[in-house]
Amino acid sequence: ALSRAAVTPMSVAHAAAVTTAPHARAPAHPRASSASRTRVIRRASTERVFAPSDLALDDLTALSPLDGRYAGKTAALRGCFSEFALIRARVYVEVRWLQTLAAIPEVVEVPPLSVEANTFLEDYLKNFSVAEAAKVKNVEKTTNHDVKAVEYVIKDALMTQPELAKIMEFTHFACTSEDINNLSHAIMLRDGVATLKPEMTKIIDALTKMSVEHAATPMMSRTHGQPASPTTLGKELANVAYRLARQRQQLAGIPLYGKMAGAVGNYNAHMSAYPNVDWQAVAEKFVTGLGLDFNPYVTQIEPHDYMAELFATIERFNTIVLDFDRDIWSYISIGYFKQKTIAGEVGSSTMPHKVNPIDFENSEGNVGLANAVFAHLAAKLPVSRWQRDLTDSTVLRNMGVGFGYSMLAYQSTLRGIGKLEVAADAMAADLDVNWEVLAEPIQTVMRRYAVEKPYEKLKELTRGRRVNAEGMREFVAKLDIPEEGRQSLMALTPASYIGNATAQAKDIVNKLKEL
């Protein structure tokens, strides 16, 4: 028998050998022996394989793949959503508020700033560096409060300029942390959207280009996975381009709100110090001066409703991307598209012939991660107990995660589109073996000419059956309809029965301009 203490990952195989050796006592029951071995394995599997280690942070040791494996692909978002970006935005808001106070005549203790003082502040903002942000993090170790640490570091900087040193205590005047945070987050989101939108546009542009190029390339439609009335490749791509463009347009129209109303939204502290100042008017001018929309009704926090709207819109865009990814994946699997091979690229570690649709699969996976984050943000952020709780704080630090996985998804989809080669011959062959799809136009023309039970007759001919060109034309030849209608149907083929799909595809450029 092995004691519990003796069991280690390296001893499992040995333990199994000992318990099954010929000279070992036979177990009372085969199940008992199996259960014993299972218990040994389960105990062994709880042991660590690698000892704990404190690894220096780089691309190989980053906890999140956004900052590790995919760091190069998401680097543009660091300036929008990193810890540095948040600290820089907070500093920006604090400095702008100090300048605003200096412009209020009633706040006599903060006189109008000289050119030299304003130049100092502008240079401080312009040259704010990672090293300066590190000072904030160092102070935060003592304060255990990130916004207060920002205030202290700004005051240290103001001490070096005599004029500003005299008014440094007006840094963060009458502010609650959320006055600074909500404006900082709005600024970060504005920059983040500005960074993400060009990636959205690249997908829309690529699909629009393909739509026009393949406006007349006939293709079988499939509803419920079964052959349906034909379309063109260009028109189906135009559908996606238009859907995406609508969401991009809605994203551009979402206002980013801000507040500067103090601890519970009533300007209590402001009015206690300077009761003759119209602080709500000051706050509105300040917020709009930052390029944001002013929210007049708030608690300690700006309620984040606009954030929910924004994240939900990106989520919808992403869902359309996912829908496209899956459709193209399916079309590749039935041979409608070929994929360009890249020298040196491997499709499978064991099957050399494989050219897998990995870009669309990667996009689908990253969309799932992005939308999981955005869905939580949109559902959680508008909810805060009474005038405020802190649950939004840690959640808001993950805005960049949703943006990062979205960017990865867009890049993967775009890369996949770039590898596609249209297999028009395969599409044509698929149409040619599905002549039964012409049951729809035939029964429709029969209705025009009052032929009895047109739908039922075509149903009897085609439902669940293969009908070739000869069989379909033989049916049409026997119809009691005017010769003009008969000849029109006789000339029809699955490839030509595409309605106005070609015109729709060619018109996508104009329709996008109308949005």
Side-chain angles (χ1 to χ4, degrees):
L2 292 171
S3 69
R4 177 185 290 263
V7 178
T8 66
M10 296 299 294
S11 66
V12 173
H14 177 65
V18 170
T19 57
T20 57
H23 60 272
R25 179 181 297 179
H29 192 280
R31 289 183 180 176
S33 176
S34 175
S36 176
R37 286 198 298 273
T38 299
R39 282 196 297 273
V40 170
I41 292 171
R42 285 177 178 169
R43 286 200 299 272
S45 67
T46 64
E47 300 291 332
R48 292 186 67 110
V49 176
F50 302 109
S53 55
D54 185 12
L55 300 173
L57 180 62
D58 61 23
D59 288 358
L60 288 175
T61 61
L63 182 61
S64 166
L66 291 176
D67 295 314
R69 181 179 181 87
Y70 306 128
K73 297 176 181 179
T74 59
L77 291 170
R78 293 179 193 166
C80 308
F81 296 112
S82 63
E83 185 75 0
F84 166 73
L86 175 57
I87 293 172
R88 180 176 58 183
R90 285 168 167 165
V91 169
Y92 179 82
V93 173
E94 293 276 14
V95 168
R96 291 290 181 243
W97 181 239
L98 183 62
Q99 290 172 317
T100 295
L101 294 175
I104 302 173
E106 294 85 350
V107 184
V108 295
E109 289 78 9
V110 186
L113 299 179
S114 67
V115 172
E116 291 76 16
N118 270 317
T119 299
F120 177 92
L121 292 174
E122 295 302 327
D123 286 345
Y124 182 66
L125 293 177
K126 180 180 178 180
N127 299 315
F128 191 82
S129 63
V130 172
E132 194 70 10
K135 295 179 183 178
V136 175
K137 298 303 292 182
N138 190 51
V139 172
E140 187 184 346
K141 294 176 183 177
T142 301
T143 63
N144 197 30
H145 196 289
D146 47 5
V147 177
K148 202 64 178 176
V150 168
E151 177 188 342
Y152 287 160
V153 170
I154 292 175
K155 286 180 178 179
D156 286 344
L158 299 185
M159 284 290 291
T160 65
Q161 210 281 342
E163 181 181 344
L164 296 172
K166 296 176 183 178
I167 61 169
M168 70 175 187
E169 289 303 333
F170 279 83
T171 305
H172 200 72
F173 176 78
C175 293
T176 183
S177 296
E178 268 306 294
D179 285 329
I180 307 305
N181 283 335
N182 87 96
L183 298 172
S184 298
H185 289 135
I187 290 169
M188 293 164 70
L189 281 172
R190 184 171 60 195
D191 290 351
V193 169
T195 304
L196 199 63
K197 277 182 65 179
E199 301 299 317
M200 294 176 164
T201 301
K202 288 177 185 177
I203 296 177
I204 296 169
D205 289 347
L207 293 178
T208 300
K209 183 173 183 289
M210 285 187 70
S211 298
V212 175
E213 288 177 353
H214 296 282
T217 303
M219 184 183 83
M220 180 68 70
S221 288
R222 279 179 167 77
T223 59
H224 308 282
Q226 307 303 309
S229 300
T231 183
T232 70
L233 173 59
K235 188 264 178 176
E236 298 312 303
L237 294 175
N239 287 352
V240 182
Y242 192 78
R243 292 175 68 195
L244 292 172
R246 281 191 64 247
Q247 299 308 316
R248 181 189 58 181
Q249 188 72 10
Q250 289 184 31
L251 181 63
I254 294 174
L256 307 179
Y257 283 100
K259 55 88 72 171
M260 199 69 175
V264 292
N266 303 329
Y267 308 94
N268 305 49
H270 308 67
M271 296 177 68
S272 68
Y274 297 97
N276 296 324
V277 175
D278 185 349
W279 284 107
Q280 183 159 330
V282 169
E284 182 171 2
K285 183 178 180 181
F286 177 68
V287 171
T288 55
L290 296 176
L292 306 173
D293 282 67
F294 177 69
N295 190 339
Y297 290 98
V298 296
T299 59
Q300 185 173 107
I301 65 171
E302 196 290 321
H304 307 320
D305 297 334
Y306 84 86
M307 290 187 177
E309 296 164 11
L310 187 149
F311 297 140
T313 302
I314 300 176
E315 187 181 354
R316 288 196 300 274
F317 185 97
N318 290 354
T319 298
I320 297 168
V321 170
L322 182 145
D323 189 34
F324 172 75
D325 289 337
R326 290 181 177 175
D327 279 356
I328 296 299
W329 187 97
S330 299
Y331 286 136
I332 290 171
S333 72
I334 62 174
Y336 278 17
F337 292 101
K338 297 177 182 178
Q339 296 179 98
K340 299 173 185 176
T341 57
I342 298 177
E345 192 174 83
V346 174
S348 167
S349 63
T350 187
M351 295 174 281
H353 69 285
K354 298 290 289 297
V355 184
N356 295 327
I358 57 173
D359 296 306
F360 298 106
E361 292 170 342
N362 283 337
S363 176
E364 182 178 340
N366 285 316
V367 160
L369 288 166
N371 281 6
V373 173
F374 285 140
H376 180 64
L377 288 169
K380 188 272 151 297
L381 287 175
V383 179
S384 185
R385 294 172 182 87
W386 293 343
Q387 281 66 54
R388 168 309 127 96
D389 64 41
L390 200 63
T391 54
D392 62 335
S393 179
T394 187
V395 172
L396 283 166
R397 290 182 181 276
N398 288 277
M399 295 190 301
V401 176
F403 276 76
Y405 281 113
S406 296
M407 180 169 282
L408 286 178
Y410 305 161
Q411 292 171 354
S412 293
T413 293
L414 194 64
R415 190 162 52 249
I417 292 172
K419 293 180 182 178
L420 292 177
E421 292 181 343
V422 177
D425 54 345
M427 295 180 185
D430 196 16
L431 288 165
D432 200 44
V433 295
N434 284 284
W435 277 74
E436 58 271 19
V437 298
L438 296 184
E440 180 188 48
I442 293 172
Q443 66 96 5
T444 302
V445 171
M446 290 168 67
R447 288 173 186 272
R448 175 187 176 184
Y449 295 113
V451 176
E452 185 179 0
K453 295 183 177 181
Y455 178 89
E456 288 73 18
K457 289 177 180 178
L458 267 299
K459 176 182 175 183
E460 181 180 354
L461 175 67
T462 62
R463 191 164 193 258
R465 301 179 183 178
R466 285 291 188 188
V467 181
N468 59 20
E470 182 181 354
M472 194 62 78
R473 286 171 178 155
E474 182 180 336
F475 178 86
V476 171
K478 296 177 182 179
L479 291 177
D480 184 14
I481 60 175
E483 189 61 23
E484 179 185 1
R486 188 193 328 280
Q487 290 303 318
S488 175
L489 291 176
M490 292 290 279
L492 202 59
T493 69
S496 64
Y497 179 53
I498 56 174
N500 74 337
T502 299
Q504 286 192 50
K506 290 180 178 180
D507 197 37
I508 183 61
V509 175
N510 293 326
K511 287 293 187 284
L512 293 182
K513 289 178 180 178
E514 293 172 4
L515 284 176

